[in-house]
């Protein structure tokens, strides 16, 4: 059974940084696309970024390029989202996801990802 557990969310001031973690069990990181979605209040879920280790594919939504970075510790089956230069519009619930492909198209379709964590809240505010 695939399980994903996020942690690391919180309240941060604009310009600050946070690192989210996602601990995964029940699957091998190398074989799947793993990434992050977010959902702001009153808005639809938005793909933030993804990686697929065995084919080196990566994707980031334009609004986070240069500020966010996805990395992983495959020995611990843990995914990270390093978020720098945070803006109020980055506020939302962040979800760790697992699917088959990491592409711009897949990140535009939340149902492309079969497994979701419970989410962790990120608030960027003064």
């Amino acid at each position: 059974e695939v399980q994903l557990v996020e942690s690391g969310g919180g309240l941060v001031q604009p310009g600050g940084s946070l690192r989210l973690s996602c601990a995964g069990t029940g699957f091998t990181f190398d074989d799947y696309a793993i990434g992050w979605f977010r959902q702001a209040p009153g808005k639809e879920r938005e793909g933030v970024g993804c990686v697929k280790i065995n084919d080196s594919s990566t994707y980031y939504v334009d609004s986070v390029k240069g500020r966010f970075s996805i990395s992983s510790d495959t020995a611990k089956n843990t995914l990270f989202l390093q978020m720098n230069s945070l803006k109020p519009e980055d506020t939302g619930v962040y979800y760790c996801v697992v699917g088959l492909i990491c592409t711009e198209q897949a990140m535009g379709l939340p149902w492309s990802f079969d497994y979701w964590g419970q989410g962790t809240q990120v608030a960027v505010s003064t």
Side-chain angles (χ1 to χ4, degrees), residues 6-21 36-39 46 48-49 60-61 63-71 79-95 120-124:
E6 302 98 333
S7 60
L11 174 64
V12 63
Q13 292 187 344
S17 298
L18 278 176
R19 189 174 83 154
L20 306 184
S21 299
W36 298 88
F37 277 74
R38 65 185 178 186
Q39 187 166 23
E46 174 189 40
V48 174
Y60 294 95
V61 69
S63 60
V64 308
K65 285 180 180 177
R67 300 188 298 123
F68 290 13
S69 177
I70 295 174
S71 61
L79 184 71
F80 303 101
L81 179 65
Q82 179 66 44
M83 304 186 293
N84 300 324
S85 302
L86 282 161
K87 304 175 181 180
E89 51 263 43
D90 295 318
T91 294
V93 178
Y94 282 68
Y95 298 91
T120 185
Q121 177 71 52
V122 172
V124 184

Side-chain angles (χ1 to χ4, degrees), residues 65-118:
K65 285 180 180 177
R67 300 188 298 123
F68 290 13
S69 177
I70 295 174
S71 61
S72 63
D73 182 340
T74 55
K76 296 182 178 179
N77 251 30
T78 301
L79 184 71
F80 303 101
L81 179 65
Q82 179 66 44
M83 304 186 293
N84 300 324
S85 302
L86 282 161
K87 304 175 181 180
E89 51 263 43
D90 295 318
T91 294
V93 178
Y94 282 68
Y95 298 91
C96 178
V97 298
V98 174
L100 295 179
I101 59 173
C102 172
T103 63
E104 179 178 1
Q105 290 74 22
M107 293 302 290
L109 300 170
W111 52 88
S112 297
F113 292 83
D114 298 314
Y115 301 98
W116 292 67
Q118 83 288 350

Side-chain angles (χ1 to χ4, degrees), residues 4-62:
L4 303 167
V5 179
E6 302 98 333
S7 60
L11 174 64
V12 63
Q13 292 187 344
S17 298
L18 278 176
R19 189 174 83 154
L20 306 184
S21 299
C22 172
T25 58
F27 69 102
T28 302
F29 260 40
D30 289 3
D31 297 336
Y32 292 87
I34 45 178
W36 298 88
F37 277 74
R38 65 185 178 186
Q39 187 166 23
K43 294 188 176 181
E44 295 184 350
R45 290 186 179 185
E46 174 189 40
V48 174
C50 59
V51 298
K52 187 171 183 181
I53 296 169
N54 68 3
D55 66 11
S56 301
S57 55
T58 61
Y59 169 78
Y60 294 95
V61 69
D62 285 347

